[in-house]
Amino acid sequence: MPEDTSAVVQLSSEAALAALLATHPAVLVYAHAPDCGVCHVLWPRLHAALGNAYPRLTFARIDAASSPGLAARLMVHAIPAVILYFEGREHHRFAQAFGINEIGAAIGRPYQLLFDNGPDDDQRAVE
């Protein structure tokens, strides 16, 4: 399966991460390494499933081998790792053994609160 990286931000510095978190309310950071087989298998599935379910989620990747300082700053001690940020703050972290459904469950509620304005929300804003 070819990898679609058109909507994925490649991070290599703390400044780039800070800028991303300042401009995007929901961010998923995926830490990987070139020699990690699980990382290569998991990423396209994760990106496809969560990208479809949460279209306003911004995806970013960190190559822990080529950016070890950034990985260390983020306290990534095992790969693959997923760090979820909402409104610039870390919300949840997954490392080594996790499933896409677990990540989706962790995203669901905060994503809904952040992006979904139902009719009741609109009504309260007008009143």
Side-chain angles (χ1 to χ4, degrees):
M1 173 186 293
E3 185 176 321
D4 175 19
T5 58
S6 59
V8 179
V9 178
Q10 302 296 325
L11 296 173
S12 60
S13 70
E14 287 184 50
L17 175 62
L20 182 71
L21 295 177
T23 57
H24 293 85
V27 177
L28 181 146
V29 175
Y30 184 77
H32 64 94
D35 58 350
C36 171
V38 172
C39 298
H40 292 292
V41 171
L42 181 62
W43 170 250
R45 293 177 181 166
L46 179 78
H47 187 242
L50 298 179
N52 289 333
Y54 304 104
R56 296 178 71 183
L57 182 65
T58 301
F59 290 89
R61 289 175 47 129
I62 297 171
D63 182 341
S66 65
S67 300
L70 180 58
R73 174 72 174 98
L74 291 175
M75 293 182 281
V76 172
H77 302 295
I79 53 169
V82 172
I83 307 169
L84 297 173
Y85 292 92
F86 286 98
E87 296 184 324
R89 295 185 180 159
E90 183 176 331
H91 177 266
H92 209 91
R93 174 183 296 257
F94 300 89
Q96 277 186 317
F98 55 85
I100 295 171
N101 290 338
E102 289 176 74
I103 298 170
I107 294 171
R109 181 73 175 143
Y111 184 92
Q112 180 184 20
L113 290 171
L114 190 59
F115 293 115
D116 291 348
N117 291 325
D120 292 339
D121 293 336
D122 293 338
Q123 192 72 2
R124 275 180 272 178
V126 172
E127 294 176 350

